[in-house]
Amino acid sequence: MADTTASKHPSSINGGNIVTDIKNFSSLLRTRRTVTFAYGFMFAFVAFTIFLAFSPPNSSSPWFTNIFSTSTSTSTASSDSYRSQFSSIFSYFLPNKTSAATSPEQGPGFSSLPSQNATRSNNSLSQSPSTKTEVKDPPSVNNLTQSTVLQPNRTANSSAVVKEPAFAKNQTQTAVNSYKGQVLKPNQTTVANPTTIQVAANQSENTPTKSGSLAKEGSGNQDKRDAGKTVASNSTASPVKKPSNAMKQSNETNSGMEVKQEFDNLVQNLANCDFFDGEWVKDDSYPLYKPGSCSLVDEQFNCILNGRPDKGYQKYKWKPKGCTLPRLNPRDMLDMLRGKRLVFVGDSLNRNMWESLVCILKGSVKDRSKVFEANGRHHFRGEASYSFVFKDYNCTIEFFVSPFLVQEWEMPEKDGSKKETLRLDLVGRSSSQYKSADIIVFNTGHWWTHDKTSKGKDYYQEGSHVYNELNVLEAFRKALTTWAKWVDANVNPMKSLVFFRGYSASHFSGGQWNSGGQCDSEVEPIKNVTYLREYPSKMLVLEKVLRNMKTHVTYLNVTQMTDFRKDGHPSVYRKKNLSPEERKSPLHFQDCSHWCLPGVPDAWNEILYANLLISEKQKQQAQKRHR
């Protein structure tokens, strides 16, 4: 009985049940093995993580950047920023298949930023639909219409910088100044499409990332292999990878193409613009050269040296209604004039313009000793011609005195005396010296208002015939016709550009230049066009002659734009040292015809500069057509 009982119930060890003890021991072993495995796994994970942190296999990989980008976060980052970090990690390993499809250029986890108002003014920049990849503005940027550079919201602590293409700059600013080979782009209405966008994470300032910044929403999610893009990793983890030379060259090429396109747009806009329908506007960036800085300004035009107290007349620029004139860039203009002759032919108003241009251009030359008058002259009145040499550019800016464009003559009388006449059939004596110049700017007008010419009695001559009396307008037409025929016969239009600057308005009040006319109290331009004078009939005669010429002549019609500027004349500030008679009655000796320098003639030269830009572009286009 005892044996039977023992066989049914296994014997216990130390009073315990053997089966129960074995089961308990097995459970204990399983528990320790599980704990050991768990601790081992945790230790291996921590060790692996530390290893990656200090020796990353590829710090530019998207998932690695997402995991460790929080290492640069500040203590002030919100909980939302952490959620966005880890959600991006999970989205990489467990992408949501039900989310909206991304473009082939977008890496996994790339989230497009909310689009902004795409409508902008003509002068603001916009991305073109043809751009391959679009980086949209962050939600914090609304109605982006700034007039400088289109760029996303960038804070000082942003760790990712979206770099705009170097060419994507609004060109509406007035100062063109700095452009060489191009022109700062005024009144720009079209913007060429950028072809590459560079994205760099924490490249510029190496500063912590703040939540809500563009870096948080776009960093680390762009596939580095995307065409046309370069992605640099967080520079706190490893050195920033610089773009390859091929990428730099590609960007430079694209930038150059866009600059060229914008230049073409500028020139096209200028070519379709009426430069002379506009208004004078205040601009504190003017004048184009510092008053008193140009020793070449003749005493007659140097109003500051002669004691003029007001300076406001220097702060105006001419603004056409249909476009914005580019600010004259002297170095760019000298480049266009390299190896050429630019000649002014006419009266003292053209000397006014000539001195203005020489001063503008000389101010940009580093070595002023390489700019000099060919004959060493320092005063520019009384001689038949003057020539300023710009040695580094192998060009000259010249002036030939020819107030009528036809010859002043002396007719011998029977008693042996000589009678002064004006030969309407002979062009000026110096014409042979400038007929081959590359650019010629003619003018005449003021000397036709003098007593002898306006009365026209026993003064005008053709051949051996002296007219007893001839209307001044008819004499003016005959003289211009003689000049026009000479230009058509002697000036090569394939080589030379010909300009004719129109009549410059005078503002004598209470008399003429020789009868007490005054303008010394004028310090503001005319604002209302109803106060402008009637268009000179002589200019109507000129326009008709120009239309009948074979040679193309560009008409610089400055008459109305100068009529506004009653404030710009030297008036009583025409001389520093007055004669005894002038001291007695200075108000009776005023100059209300010429212009103070800096001043109105500078604007004429800006218009000349704009025309040269147009001509240069047309020449390039013609060369392409003939290739």
Side-chain angles (χ1 to χ4, degrees):
M1 187 68 176
D3 292 337
T4 303
T5 304
S7 63
K8 290 182 179 179
H9 301 281
S11 62
S12 62
I13 300 175
N14 296 328
N17 189 300
I18 296 176
V19 176
T20 303
D21 290 341
I22 291 173
K23 291 180 178 180
N24 292 338
F25 180 73
S26 177
S27 301
L28 178 63
L29 288 178
R30 283 197 302 269
T31 304
R32 288 181 178 176
R33 184 170 55 194
T34 302
V35 172
T36 302
F37 177 80
Y39 277 105
F41 178 82
M42 291 175 62
F43 176 80
F45 180 81
V46 171
F48 181 70
T49 302
I50 294 174
F51 172 77
L52 290 179
F54 290 95
S55 300
N58 185 3
S59 60
S60 64
S61 62
W63 68 270
F64 182 83
T65 304
N66 280 330
I67 293 175
F68 292 101
S69 62
T70 56
S71 64
T72 60
S73 300
T74 63
S75 59
T76 61
S78 66
S79 61
D80 290 341
S81 68
Y82 293 106
R83 282 199 299 271
S84 66
Q85 291 290 343
F86 287 105
S87 64
S88 63
I89 297 171
F90 294 140
S91 67
Y92 179 80
F93 290 105
L94 302 172
N96 186 1
K97 299 299 183 180
T98 63
S99 62
T102 59
S103 66
E105 289 78 24
Q106 295 173 345
F110 186 94
S111 59
S112 297
L113 300 178
S115 62
Q116 302 298 313
N117 186 356
T119 303
R120 287 171 170 82
S121 64
N122 285 345
N123 290 332
S124 63
L125 297 177
S126 61
Q127 294 285 351
S128 170
S130 63
T131 304
K132 185 175 182 180
T133 303
E134 181 178 2
V135 178
K136 298 182 180 178
D137 302 336
S140 59
V141 181
N142 295 313
N143 298 323
L144 188 60
T145 58
Q146 65 262 31
S147 61
T148 52
V149 179
L150 178 64
Q151 62 183 20
N153 182 27
R154 175 183 173 184
T155 64
N157 295 316
S158 185
S159 68
V161 179
V162 178
K163 299 179 75 176
E164 68 279 2
F167 53 81
K169 294 182 182 293
N170 189 300
Q171 301 299 333
T172 58
Q173 62 237 32
T174 303
V176 133
N177 46 0
S178 53
Y179 136 102
K180 188 166 183 173
Q182 65 162 325
V183 181
L184 264 108
K185 308 312 180 235
N187 201 29
Q188 187 71 32
T189 58
T190 59
V191 178
N193 302 329
T195 55
T196 61
I197 299 177
Q198 295 182 343
V199 181
N202 199 20
Q203 186 173 356
S204 62
E205 289 150 358
N206 226 6
T207 53
T209 305
K210 285 189 176 181
S211 66
S213 70
L214 182 62
K216 193 68 66 179
E217 300 204 30
S219 65
N221 293 322
Q222 185 72 15
D223 190 340
K224 67 176 181 177
R225 292 169 296 181
D226 289 351
K229 300 182 183 179
T230 58
V231 181
S233 65
N234 190 321
S235 60
T236 59
S238 64
V240 175
K241 293 183 179 180
K242 296 182 178 180
S244 64
N245 289 336
M247 179 60 69
K248 288 181 179 179
Q249 292 175 359
S250 176
N251 291 339
E252 290 174 359
T253 300
N254 290 330
S255 177
M257 291 174 63
E258 299 307 326
V259 167
K260 182 178 182 299
Q261 180 61 44
E262 290 184 354
F263 172 73
D264 291 345
N265 293 336
L266 162 70
V267 174
Q268 182 64 35
N269 193 23
L270 293 176
N272 297 326
C273 182
D274 180 359
F275 293 147
F276 307 101
D277 181 17
E279 62 181 343
W280 292 94
V281 296
K282 268 290 184 71
D283 190 326
D284 288 335
S285 69
Y286 280 69
L288 296 174
Y289 49 99
K290 186 177 179 181
S293 65
C294 185
S295 60
L296 309 177
V297 175
D298 188 70
E299 180 187 33
Q300 185 181 10
F301 312 140
N302 203 334
C303 302
I304 296 298
L305 181 66
N306 296 335
R308 180 166 179 171
D310 61 301
K311 307 294 189 297
Y313 68 92
Q314 303 169 353
K315 297 292 185 179
Y316 287 94
K317 72 171 183 178
W318 178 248
K319 173 68 175 69
K321 293 178 181 178
C323 61
T324 298
L325 282 174
R327 184 184 178 96
L328 196 157
N329 185 322
R331 291 190 179 182
D332 183 54
M333 188 165 185
L334 281 170
D335 276 335
M336 287 192 289
L337 295 177
R338 191 181 294 275
K340 298 179 180 179
R341 294 176 64 200
L342 192 163
V343 173
F344 293 88
V345 182
D347 58 25
S348 54
L349 272 300
N350 246 17
R351 178 163 58 88
N352 221 175
M353 186 177 180
W354 168 70
E355 288 188 18
S356 163
L357 183 60
V358 172
C359 287
I360 293 170
L361 299 182
K362 185 180 180 182
S364 69
V365 176
K366 292 181 179 180
D367 188 351
R368 304 289 178 84
S369 66
K370 293 185 178 181
V371 180
F372 50 86
E373 205 281 323
N375 296 302
R377 301 185 181 114
H378 298 282
H379 302 284
F380 309 111
R381 298 178 68 180
E383 300 294 335
S385 65
Y386 304 90
S387 176
F388 263 93
V389 178
F390 288 77
K391 192 171 182 180
D392 287 342
Y393 294 87
N394 188 31
C395 70
T396 58
I397 314 294
E398 306 172 39
F399 172 60
F400 287 85
V401 178
S402 184
F404 297 105
L405 297 181
V406 290
Q407 287 189 30
E408 295 178 81
W409 196 261
E410 289 183 339
M411 186 76 171
E413 296 279 62
K414 294 180 179 179
D415 59 1
S417 62
K418 293 183 178 179
K419 178 184 182 63
E420 290 184 356
T421 61
L422 186 65
R423 288 292 300 267
L424 301 177
D425 56 339
L426 296 177
V427 75
R429 290 185 176 86
S430 57
S431 57
S432 61
Q433 299 178 51
Y434 55 75
K435 66 180 182 180
S436 61
D438 301 277
I439 303 165
I440 314 174
V441 183
F442 294 96
N443 98 295
T444 188
H446 280 267
W447 282 48
W448 294 87
T449 64
H450 295 178
D451 286 344
K452 191 176 293 187
T453 51
S454 59
K455 291 178 180 178
K457 292 183 177 181
D458 205 25
Y459 179 61
Y460 297 117
Q461 178 178 353
E462 284 185 297
S464 59
H465 175 68
V466 178
Y467 289 92
N468 292 329
E469 186 173 355
L470 184 65
N471 180 275
V472 64
L473 281 180
E474 179 61 18
F476 186 70
R477 185 194 64 78
K478 287 178 176 290
L480 286 180
T481 300
T482 297
W483 164 83
K485 289 180 178 179
W486 175 86
V487 170
D488 285 340
N490 293 274
V491 176
N492 181 2
M494 300 301 293
K495 178 183 185 296
S496 304
L497 293 175
V498 182
F499 295 86
F500 199 108
R501 182 183 57 75
Y503 186 79
S504 170
S506 298
H507 294 92
F508 291 99
S509 177
Q512 291 302 312
W513 66 276
N514 58 350
S515 59
Q518 301 178 13
C519 58
D520 60 296
S521 60
E522 305 294 351
V523 294
E524 292 285 339
I526 295 173
K527 301 293 175 59
N528 193 330
V529 294
T530 59
Y531 294 109
L532 299 180
R533 304 188 182 191
E534 187 179 353
Y535 191 66
S537 54
K538 292 185 180 67
M539 293 302 97
L540 295 175
V541 171
L542 168 64
E543 292 171 13
K544 186 175 181 180
V545 170
L546 295 179
R547 285 194 296 268
N548 292 327
M549 291 180 65
K550 296 178 182 178
T551 305
H552 173 73
V553 176
T554 302
Y555 180 34
L556 303 179
N557 188 1
V558 303
T559 302
Q560 180 171 287
M561 69 179 288
T562 54
D563 203 356
F564 285 105
R565 294 303 307 275
K566 60 186 175 67
D567 62 315
H569 301 289
S571 64
V572 295
Y573 306 105
R574 64 187 182 85
K575 291 178 67 176
K576 189 174 183 180
N577 300 312
L578 301 179
S579 66
E581 184 181 0
E582 290 169 335
R583 288 194 188 96
K584 292 179 181 178
S585 54
L587 296 181
H588 281 73
F589 297 89
Q590 296 197 25
D591 184 351
C592 303
S593 294
H594 299 99
W595 304 96
C596 296
L597 292 179
V600 171
D602 301 336
W604 304 345
N605 283 313
E606 287 199 298
I607 294 174
L608 176 63
Y609 171 66
N611 276 285
L612 293 181
L613 289 175
I614 296 170
S615 175
E616 193 76 11
K617 185 59 185 175
Q618 290 173 343
K619 185 185 298 183
Q620 293 173 4
Q621 292 173 342
Q623 290 174 348
K624 287 182 179 179
R625 287 195 297 268
H626 288 86
R627 285 177 183 175

